[in-house]
Amino acid sequence: NGTRFIPPLTPFPPMVLIDTTSRCNLACSHCPNSVLSGDVGFWGDLDRDLYFKIIDEVAAEAPETLVRPFNSGEPLLRKDIAEMIGYAKRKGIHTVSITTNGTVLNQRVRAALIQNGLDHMEVSIDAVSAGTYQKIRRSDLFDKVVENTLAYIRESKAHDVRRKVSV
């Protein structure tokens, strides 16, 4: 009929992606990081003060905005990612979500994420078998990632905290 869908404009974005790090510990076949990482100056972390400034603006303008302190790197490589998530939650951000490859989702990291109020975690496994995982992720950590993910779910429930986990 020739009618185009035009999404409604909002005064503030419904989602804010914050690239907290470009570092990654994998070299997945589908990810540009494995190619771009050879560029001088590609690897690095976002300055904490800039992150806090972004969160302050989102909290003041539209705390219902979904905040994702992740874009292209592995956010759990940052030692302060749980603190950054906690800052967003204390500022009143309704939903904070990350995507992780799950390789460093150890007990200390899981506890910190739960304690700091992470609302949603996507774990990129991309396979139902270790063989397919190896081809896509170029890593033999399939079993570890599955166990880390299941442990996060168990530990969230044990703290009587319901966190959404997507795989």
Side-chain angles (χ1 to χ4, degrees):
N1 65 12
T3 304
R4 281 185 36 198
F5 170 74
I6 301 175
L9 294 178
T10 58
F12 200 83
M15 178 172 36
V16 174
L17 296 168
I18 306 170
D19 207 356
T20 55
T21 186
S22 58
R23 295 180 293 134
C24 190
N25 57 338
L26 296 180
C28 303
S29 60
H30 61 278
C31 183
N33 263 14
S34 58
V35 175
L36 296 173
S37 63
D39 292 349
V40 175
F42 177 76
W43 293 110
D45 292 346
L46 179 71
D47 178 75
R48 285 171 47 96
D49 291 335
L50 179 55
Y51 172 84
F52 294 148
K53 182 178 177 183
I54 293 167
I55 294 300
D56 290 345
E57 181 178 338
V58 173
E61 294 293 329
E64 68 281 356
T65 296
L66 170 63
V67 171
R68 292 182 50 89
F70 154 82
N71 193 27
S72 63
E74 171 51 49
L76 299 185
L77 291 179
R78 284 194 70 128
K79 300 294 184 208
D80 59 351
I81 192 65
E83 179 186 338
M84 295 168 85
I85 290 164
Y87 181 83
K89 295 305 294 180
R90 286 189 305 278
K91 285 293 190 168
I93 302 298
H94 296 188
T95 307
V96 180
S97 173
I98 62 168
T99 299
T100 177
N101 62 34
T103 59
V104 293
L105 188 58
N106 60 42
Q107 194 282 325
R108 180 190 58 77
V109 172
R110 293 189 302 263
L113 294 174
I114 292 166
Q115 179 183 7
N116 281 281
L118 179 66
D119 297 295
H120 176 242
M121 179 189 311
E122 293 178 19
V123 183
S124 295
I125 297 177
D126 299 323
V128 295
S129 72
T132 302
Y133 180 88
Q134 170 64 37
K135 289 177 186 172
I136 295 170
R137 294 283 168 179
R138 299 177 182 156
S139 166
D140 61 357
L141 297 175
F142 178 79
D143 292 332
K144 179 180 180 179
V145 170
V146 170
E147 177 50 39
N148 287 348
T149 304
L150 293 173
Y152 178 79
I153 294 167
R154 282 191 306 271
E155 291 164 19
S156 292
K157 288 180 181 178
H159 285 86
D160 201 26
V161 175
R162 300 286 180 194
R163 303 291 185 220
K164 184 176 179 187
V165 177
S166 304
V167 177

